[in-house]
Amino acid sequence: MFNPRLTKDPLEKRLKLRRLRVMSGFSPDLFREKAVAVGSHLNLIYFWDKKWFYVAMLVGTLMLQLPLPDGLSQEGLVVLTMSVVATILFVTEPVPLPTVALMIICAQVLLLGIDSTNVAKSLMTDSVLFIMGSLMLAVAVVKQKLDKRIAWWLVRITGTRTSRICFGISVTSGLLASFIGEHTVAAMMLPVGITLITLTSDDPKKVRNLAAVLLLSIAYGCSIAGIGTPSGGARNAIMIGYWKEFFFDPTNSETYRFIIDYMKWMMFAYPIFLLQLPFVTFILFKTFRPEYQDMSRAVVKLRAQVEKEGAMKRADWMAIFLFFLILIGWITVSSNIGMGTVAVLGASAFLIAGLVRWEDINSGVNWGVVLLYAAAISLGVEMKNSGAALWVAEHFLALLAPLGADEGFGLWAAVSVLTTIVTNTMSNGAAVAVLGPIVLKVAVAAQESPIIIGFITAISSAFAYLTVVGTPACTIVYASGYLKTTDFLNVGWKMVLFSTILMLLIAMVYWPFLGV
Amino acid sequence: MSKITKTMTEQETRKDRFRILVSIDGSEEAYQSLRYAAKMGNGVDADIVLLYVRPIDQGLRSGGLQVRIARENMLDWGLELPGIKYLKKGYEILLDMGAAGDDWHEHNYHSNVDGDPLGDNKIEYINKEGKVIVLKLKVATDIATGILEQWELGPYDLIILGASGRSRGIAKNLWNPAVAEKVATHAQCSVLVARELDIGHGHLICTDGSEKSLETVRKDAYLASRCECPVSIISVALDVESKEEAKTFVETARKELAAMDIEVVNAIACVGTPVDKIIDAGTDYSVIVLSDSGKKGLKRLLLGSVATKVLQEAYTSVMVVR
């Protein structure tokens, strides 16, 4: 293929181009001068990139100057300002997100005058411990390389039809994710999905729709499952923490119903996940219409690939055994010793058994997230203590009253829509941490059950199907490079609509039987 | 220390070479602009760098579990990073066109990037005469930043990238510029934003008589003669009275080109709104060539320029020359 004509020019032409280069001002020295010129307006670009940070600070300063509104204490105004500023920063991300957490901690001491030891204490709760422990567990579980085993079982059961494979992937991802968290399962199942795609065709263009269906089956399968059990996601643990913090009073036996344990949560939320499952595959197939209806070639190759792994090893059995032990721990004893304790216990068990190295855990967990949730929850509790949450809740209700949405079903729908909007712009855990105190106070002010409103918020926070950043599972499958951001939008709105309707139906028809 | 001197001398030798950076994203548009780049960079004194920018794998968005865990798992299954396929396809296109050869030397490089397990990777192909073709897989927070960072490593004479769709409204562009606009605004070298870039129809250079635009004329003369494209000139007068003035601008530019031994195909002087006239006239050409506005800093940010508007609204490819 070597074509000398293009790489060896006649000398004459070469000289002419050379002369033109000098004449036209592409002279060598220009580069240096220009490199200096970059510096002079680099500052401005730097400033512009961080514009939202300055906007947030400006909004904060202005809010603090406002005259005190009726019914809000000075403390409440400060906390409210902090929440607004933090929300702007969460959504626009001009600075690394853990910075926001650090700022919240500092502001609590500097602006609210709370003793720094007390602020530090408010950072660690069982919910935060749970988030930390389950992230460590997530790394440990992914590192067991059980994904090849799972893939093997999967294709044996589903056969070779694309629709059945996709449904199988959603079910497997979902069932696993409902217990060990969506990010864990998304990281495990992603290679299975991509392997199936690349084995079908090498050209990404020929398998665009197939890739979308397969990968989104993983992402949405994981996302809808995250609500199933308290250990499915950080947001669930945060909501459980809020219920306890807001309403539980050890001296009053009436308030014991606000302690939601593992089984109780599952009774509320698991049916929603199970009902959603078949619709995920249906909606994805209606939207993307994959190029291949049958994937026998890919499946045969995948089978050959995973069979190389050989029989299950002792370490594999050990990992599965530990996994079930943790699960049993969550179901049976977590209401006594806390979900966080069980998660941390599980992580230690994996480390003690030598199934995972600390270095892997250390580099696999983004500790900034732990910090972020800690600060967000601490701010949420402060929202309650200062009365800011109640004040916002009352105004929110007054706003909804003309629409007839200040009570009953209308209020449920309004809370769900609000949560869906917020969760699509920031991570779902942060959405629950920010909105939780407000919606729980809304429930109190509207004389609705805080449990129902809390569940609606926690479950709606999973409806972040629209954006890549909405849920961990979406972010992880997006890293494959096969999906476009518009793919999430195209199918996501259908998922949001369907999920919202399903949840509200369940809330209306099924939850009353559970006695709330 | 030795590493710094090495890169210094490397950059020193690069100055004499014509270096093109082509951003590849797997779209047909990108491959079409690669073909154009191959034609423009066909001499032995030209290097072509194919760049694919991959978003950095970060864990804040993935719920605290680092994406690297998923990535390591994928590599464990023997799966490639995204982008490698696109770069390879680009290289095959160059091979087909004869712009690269099978007998070139191949070098692989890897550099670490904070926060990403795999970092930047590049494959460099060099022929006996020193012509270089590079496939680079780069990690960056976003695509525009990646392209601009790559320029700093260069430097390059020309960046070619696909347009990100037509006009999305001024407010939106100012607040959150699309990749092409961001690169065209911030890059320190000429930027060609490709829209159905074909080779045949020549360059249309815009001039307003300023020294800056004459510099553009001279520079584009060089670029156009690299791809052996015919050159035309346009100057737009705001009102009828100054039409004569526009004519003289065109004439000056023509003389400038004549001095460089280049023939002008069409010389247009017309009256109207510059942006609209340039866009209308531009439909007959492959590329509209404009100079970067003289505005600096905040003024540029707020007022924009003819160049930016044409860039956003034109139907053909647009090149901003610096």
Side-chain angles (χ1 to χ4, degrees), chain A residues 388-416 418 437-449 453:
Chain A
L390 187 64
W391 185 83
V392 175
E394 278 164 357
H395 281 76
F396 181 63
L397 272 181
L399 212 67
L400 291 176
L403 303 170
D406 57 343
E407 56 178 359
F409 187 75
L411 180 65
W412 297 356
V415 166
S416 169
L418 176 73
I438 297 170
V439 296
L440 290 180
K441 285 291 176 191
V442 165
V444 172
Q447 293 175 340
E448 288 284 329
S449 158
I453 295 286

Side-chain angles (χ1 to χ4, degrees), chain A residues 142 145 147 187-188 191, chain B residues 69-77:
Chain A
V142 178
K145 313 261 179 247
D147 31 24
M188 282 165 73
Chain B
I69 294 289
R71 180 74 69 203
E72 281 163 9
N73 204 14
M74 280 193 267
L75 292 176
D76 194 60
W77 277 67

Side-chain angles (χ1 to χ4, degrees), chain A residues 418-440:
Chain A
L418 176 73
T419 313
T420 307
I421 293 171
V422 173
T423 191
N424 271 291
T425 57
M426 59 172 86
S427 82
N428 46 31
V432 170
V434 170
L435 283 177
I438 297 170
V439 296
L440 290 180

